Amino acid sequence: MNLHEYQGKEILNSFGVKIQRGIVATNHKGAVDAAKQLTVETGTSWYVVKAQVHAGGRGKGGGVKLAKNLAEVETISNDIIGMMLVTPQTSAEGKKVNQVLICEDVYYPGDSEPEEYYMSVLLNRNTGRNMIMYSTEGGMDIETVAEETPHLIFTEEIDPTMGLLPFQARKIAFNLGLSGGALKEMVKFVSALYTAYIKSDSSMFEINPVLKTSDDKILAVDAKVTLDENALYRHKDYAVMRDLREENPIEVEAKAAGLNYVDLDGNVGCMVNGAGLAMGTMDLIKQAGGEPANFLDVGGTADAQRVETAFRIILKDDNVKAILVNIFGGIVRCDRVAQGIVDAYTNMGDAIKVPIIVRLQGTNAKEAKILIDNSGMKIISVTEFQEAADKVQEVLA
Ligand code: GDP
Ligand code: MN
């Protein structure tokens, strides 16, 4: 589950990670109040207005702007709230901005120049260990840094039985070129950041930039936080941070119906029971020259109600030109599933305009095929995997 910057910062702050302070607002009046409040709390006289959407690269798209007084806070917030923000990480139409974070300006002049670093905490799937990735090249696209100057990206792996050791935090601060007070601040920052990552059951933190202020404070200016959904049951206070407006509406509906659905770009919708078979079915579709339009695991109970819901969700995607139903009857009998498909088809009347290929295999597969063939409906029923692939190819041609 992805969070907004302001929510991510809230979590970081609760574990003692120093952050650029901010207050969220949903309209320009609230933005001005937030700015006034920030001045009381931090003494700042300049502010940064930051669009809150689930996408990076907001600065480049005009979603992060400096305001030098309250009047500018008001006009900039008014412009940003409600806009469709297009960034290198959004679609061409962009994302609607529902709220802004009014932040204190932390790039103020002082004894030294502010410096931006990159830091992320994530799982290295090859070693099964968490790692901290960091770079002196903060503030810019890390993909570009990885391409052009890969030697400027460092990683530090953490032994799960020991946790982050003090020497590792010092090494990170040292590799970032820090010394004196800034080095000490960075050691504290890194340690607190790693603790926050573990205790919040996150699967990714990306702080870009981490800022060294002109007076040697180390702060998280941005925060991209992804929580592990499977651990949300033990973080009720984080679960409520979910912003459904930021998520794919078809996926949200599928989730509410208890279906495991992931939207993809292709033209063949698939309805399958079991994640492994769903993956195999996607391979099969590709082999037949199609592209899967979705991943959909309907689970063990493929009754009429569930099958109908699944059909309706698959058909919300306009790109779908055919549907392949591939169900293995192990616990659930194929003839029951077949009846479910026929009932769903009947209930939906004209809603289904694309060819449906059904492959049922397992307990009572023969009875199931007869049931579908005798239904008089335009459903192509097969029992073999290869036949199903051939039929997909046929209907797409
Ligand atoms: P992103 O573009 O979505 O990654 O948003 P960030 O939160 O990283 O902000 C983008 C850029 O805005 C940063 O890299 C900074 O250069 C700039 N920025 C953020 N906070 C401040 C601030 O307090 N003062 C100034 N002058 N610039 C800031
Ligand atoms: Mn950023």
Side-chain angles (χ1 to χ4, degrees), residues 5 20 47-48 50 55-60 64 66 103-107 116 139-140 208-209 221-223:
E5 173 195 357
Q20 173 194 40
Y47 314 90
V48 188
K50 306 180 83 178
R58 295 165 301 165
K60 280 184 193 141
V64 178
L66 186 67
C103 290
E104 57 172 331
D105 167 40
V106 286
Y107 286 61
E116 295 181 321
M140 44 198 268
N208 189 21
V221 167
D222 195 2

Short mmCIF file of all heavy atoms in Angstrom, two decimals, residues 5 20 47-48 50 55-60 64 66 103-107 116 139-140 208-209 221-223, ligand 1:
data_model
loop_
_atom_site.label_atom_id
_atom_site.label_comp_id
_atom_site.label_asym_id
_atom_site.label_seq_id
_atom_site.Cartn_x
_atom_site.Cartn_y
_atom_site.Cartn_z
N GLU A 5 3.11 11.60 0.70
CA GLU A 5 4.31 12.13 1.35
C GLU A 5 4.03 12.52 2.81
O GLU A 5 4.79 12.17 3.71
CB GLU A 5 4.80 13.36 0.57
CG GLU A 5 5.94 14.10 1.26
CD GLU A 5 6.16 15.49 0.68
OE1 GLU A 5 5.46 15.86 -0.30
OE2 GLU A 5 7.03 16.21 1.20
N GLN A 20 11.36 17.56 7.20
CA GLN A 20 10.92 18.92 6.86
C GLN A 20 9.47 18.99 7.32
O GLN A 20 8.64 18.20 6.88
CB GLN A 20 11.00 19.10 5.33
CG GLN A 20 10.42 20.40 4.82
CD GLN A 20 10.23 20.35 3.30
OE1 GLN A 20 9.82 19.32 2.75
NE2 GLN A 20 10.53 21.44 2.62
N TYR A 47 7.82 29.25 2.32
CA TYR A 47 7.11 27.97 2.39
C TYR A 47 7.25 27.23 1.07
O TYR A 47 7.53 27.83 0.04
CB TYR A 47 5.61 28.21 2.66
CG TYR A 47 5.35 29.22 3.75
CD1 TYR A 47 5.21 30.57 3.45
CD2 TYR A 47 5.28 28.81 5.08
CE1 TYR A 47 5.01 31.51 4.45
CE2 TYR A 47 5.06 29.75 6.09
CZ TYR A 47 4.93 31.10 5.78
OH TYR A 47 4.73 32.01 6.76
N VAL A 48 7.03 25.91 1.11
CA VAL A 48 6.98 25.14 -0.12
C VAL A 48 5.60 24.49 -0.20
O VAL A 48 5.13 23.90 0.78
CB VAL A 48 8.07 24.05 -0.15
CG1 VAL A 48 8.13 23.39 -1.52
CG2 VAL A 48 9.41 24.64 0.19
N LYS A 50 3.41 21.65 -1.80
CA LYS A 50 3.70 20.37 -2.45
C LYS A 50 2.42 19.56 -2.71
O LYS A 50 1.69 19.20 -1.77
CB LYS A 50 4.66 19.55 -1.57
CG LYS A 50 5.92 20.32 -1.20
CD LYS A 50 6.86 19.51 -0.32
CE LYS A 50 7.71 18.59 -1.18
NZ LYS A 50 8.65 17.82 -0.34
N ALA A 55 2.63 9.77 -6.83
CA ALA A 55 3.54 9.73 -7.98
C ALA A 55 4.74 10.61 -7.66
O ALA A 55 4.61 11.63 -6.98
CB ALA A 55 2.85 10.24 -9.24
N GLY A 56 5.90 10.19 -8.13
CA GLY A 56 7.09 10.99 -7.94
C GLY A 56 7.27 11.97 -9.07
O GLY A 56 6.43 12.06 -9.97
N GLY A 57 8.37 12.72 -9.02
CA GLY A 57 8.68 13.68 -10.08
C GLY A 57 7.73 14.86 -10.09
O GLY A 57 7.55 15.53 -11.10
N ARG A 58 7.12 15.15 -8.91
CA ARG A 58 6.13 16.24 -8.83
C ARG A 58 6.76 17.58 -9.14
O ARG A 58 6.14 18.44 -9.76
CB ARG A 58 5.49 16.25 -7.43
CG ARG A 58 4.67 15.02 -7.14
CD ARG A 58 4.38 14.93 -5.66
NE ARG A 58 5.64 14.87 -4.90
CZ ARG A 58 5.75 15.07 -3.61
NH1 ARG A 58 4.67 15.35 -2.89
NH2 ARG A 58 6.92 14.99 -3.01
N GLY A 59 8.01 17.75 -8.68
CA GLY A 59 8.72 19.02 -8.91
C GLY A 59 8.78 19.35 -10.39
O GLY A 59 8.45 20.46 -10.81
N LYS A 60 9.15 18.35 -11.19
CA LYS A 60 9.28 18.54 -12.64
C LYS A 60 7.95 18.88 -13.28
O LYS A 60 7.90 19.57 -14.30
CB LYS A 60 9.80 17.26 -13.30
CG LYS A 60 11.30 17.10 -13.14
CD LYS A 60 11.78 15.86 -13.89
CE LYS A 60 13.20 15.52 -13.48
NZ LYS A 60 13.43 14.09 -13.35
N VAL A 64 5.51 21.18 -7.12
CA VAL A 64 6.23 21.63 -5.91
C VAL A 64 6.72 23.04 -6.19
O VAL A 64 7.49 23.27 -7.12
CB VAL A 64 7.45 20.72 -5.61
CG1 VAL A 64 8.22 21.24 -4.40
CG2 VAL A 64 7.01 19.27 -5.39
N LEU A 66 7.89 27.06 -4.51
CA LEU A 66 8.31 27.88 -3.39
C LEU A 66 7.41 29.12 -3.29
O LEU A 66 7.10 29.75 -4.30
CB LEU A 66 9.77 28.32 -3.63
CG LEU A 66 10.45 29.07 -2.49
CD1 LEU A 66 10.65 28.16 -1.27
CD2 LEU A 66 11.80 29.63 -2.96
N CYS A 103 4.90 23.22 3.49
CA CYS A 103 6.11 22.89 4.25
C CYS A 103 6.93 24.12 4.58
O CYS A 103 6.88 25.12 3.86
CB CYS A 103 6.99 21.93 3.45
SG CYS A 103 6.31 20.29 3.29
N GLU A 104 7.71 24.01 5.65
CA GLU A 104 8.70 25.05 5.95
C GLU A 104 9.78 24.99 4.87
O GLU A 104 10.06 23.92 4.33
CB GLU A 104 9.33 24.76 7.32
CG GLU A 104 9.97 23.37 7.38
CD GLU A 104 10.79 23.09 8.64
OE1 GLU A 104 11.34 24.04 9.22
OE2 GLU A 104 10.88 21.91 9.02
N ASP A 105 10.36 26.14 4.55
CA ASP A 105 11.49 26.16 3.61
C ASP A 105 12.73 25.74 4.38
O ASP A 105 13.07 26.34 5.40
CB ASP A 105 11.66 27.57 3.04
CG ASP A 105 12.98 27.72 2.31
OD1 ASP A 105 13.38 26.76 1.61
OD2 ASP A 105 13.63 28.77 2.46
N VAL A 106 13.39 24.71 3.89
CA VAL A 106 14.58 24.22 4.61
C VAL A 106 15.87 24.43 3.80
O VAL A 106 16.93 23.94 4.17
CB VAL A 106 14.44 22.72 5.00
CG1 VAL A 106 13.46 22.58 6.16
CG2 VAL A 106 14.01 21.87 3.82
N TYR A 107 15.75 25.15 2.68
CA TYR A 107 16.93 25.41 1.84
C TYR A 107 17.47 26.82 2.10
O TYR A 107 18.00 27.47 1.19
CB TYR A 107 16.59 25.22 0.36
CG TYR A 107 16.42 23.77 -0.07
CD1 TYR A 107 15.45 22.96 0.49
CD2 TYR A 107 17.24 23.23 -1.07
CE1 TYR A 107 15.28 21.65 0.09
CE2 TYR A 107 17.07 21.91 -1.49
CZ TYR A 107 16.09 21.14 -0.90
OH TYR A 107 15.92 19.84 -1.32
N GLU A 116 21.93 17.77 -1.17
CA GLU A 116 20.87 16.77 -1.30
C GLU A 116 21.47 15.38 -1.51
O GLU A 116 22.35 15.20 -2.35
CB GLU A 116 19.98 17.10 -2.51
CG GLU A 116 19.19 18.40 -2.36
CD GLU A 116 18.32 18.70 -3.57
OE1 GLU A 116 18.76 18.44 -4.71
OE2 GLU A 116 17.18 19.18 -3.37
N GLY A 139 18.07 14.32 -5.02
CA GLY A 139 17.25 15.35 -5.65
C GLY A 139 16.94 15.06 -7.10
O GLY A 139 16.00 15.60 -7.65
N MET A 140 17.74 14.22 -7.74
CA MET A 140 17.43 13.91 -9.14
C MET A 140 16.95 12.46 -9.27
O MET A 140 16.93 11.72 -8.31
CB MET A 140 18.62 14.17 -10.05
CG MET A 140 19.95 13.68 -9.51
SD MET A 140 21.30 14.49 -10.36
CE MET A 140 21.63 13.35 -11.66
N ASN A 208 14.13 11.04 -1.10
CA ASN A 208 14.89 11.74 -2.13
C ASN A 208 14.30 13.13 -2.34
O ASN A 208 13.27 13.27 -2.98
CB ASN A 208 14.86 10.95 -3.44
CG ASN A 208 15.81 11.54 -4.47
OD1 ASN A 208 16.74 12.26 -4.12
ND2 ASN A 208 15.57 11.23 -5.74
N PRO A 209 14.93 14.16 -1.82
CA PRO A 209 16.23 14.14 -1.15
C PRO A 209 16.18 14.01 0.37
O PRO A 209 15.21 14.40 1.01
CB PRO A 209 16.78 15.53 -1.50
CG PRO A 209 15.54 16.40 -1.57
CD PRO A 209 14.44 15.51 -2.06
N VAL A 221 13.27 15.46 3.23
CA VAL A 221 12.48 16.49 2.54
C VAL A 221 11.32 15.84 1.79
O VAL A 221 10.26 16.40 1.64
CB VAL A 221 13.39 17.31 1.59
CG1 VAL A 221 12.56 18.15 0.63
CG2 VAL A 221 14.32 18.19 2.40
N ASP A 222 11.55 14.63 1.31
CA ASP A 222 10.51 13.89 0.61
C ASP A 222 10.41 12.52 1.28
O ASP A 222 11.35 12.08 1.94
CB ASP A 222 10.91 13.74 -0.88
CG ASP A 222 9.73 13.30 -1.75
OD1 ASP A 222 8.61 13.14 -1.23
OD2 ASP A 222 9.94 13.11 -2.96
N ALA A 223 9.27 11.83 1.11
CA ALA A 223 9.13 10.49 1.69
C ALA A 223 8.17 9.67 0.84
O ALA A 223 7.00 10.01 0.70
CB ALA A 223 8.60 10.56 3.12
P1 GDP B 1 9.36 15.15 -6.12
O1 GDP B 1 9.69 16.07 -7.25
O2 GDP B 1 8.00 14.51 -6.29
O3 GDP B 1 10.42 14.14 -5.87
O4 GDP B 1 9.20 16.08 -4.82
P2 GDP B 1 10.29 16.49 -3.69
O5 GDP B 1 9.61 16.48 -2.39
O6 GDP B 1 11.53 15.67 -3.80
O7 GDP B 1 10.60 18.00 -4.07
C1 GDP B 1 11.14 18.36 -5.31
C2 GDP B 1 12.19 19.43 -5.15
O8 GDP B 1 11.65 20.59 -4.54
C3 GDP B 1 13.36 19.07 -4.24
O9 GDP B 1 14.34 18.29 -4.87
C4 GDP B 1 13.89 20.44 -3.89
O10 GDP B 1 14.82 20.85 -4.89
C5 GDP B 1 12.67 21.32 -3.92
N1 GDP B 1 12.31 21.63 -2.53
C6 GDP B 1 11.71 20.83 -1.62
N2 GDP B 1 11.63 21.43 -0.44
C7 GDP B 1 12.17 22.65 -0.59
C8 GDP B 1 12.40 23.75 0.30
O11 GDP B 1 12.09 23.73 1.49
N3 GDP B 1 12.98 24.88 -0.23
C9 GDP B 1 13.36 24.96 -1.52
N4 GDP B 1 13.91 26.08 -1.95
N5 GDP B 1 13.19 23.93 -2.38
C10 GDP B 1 12.61 22.80 -1.92
#
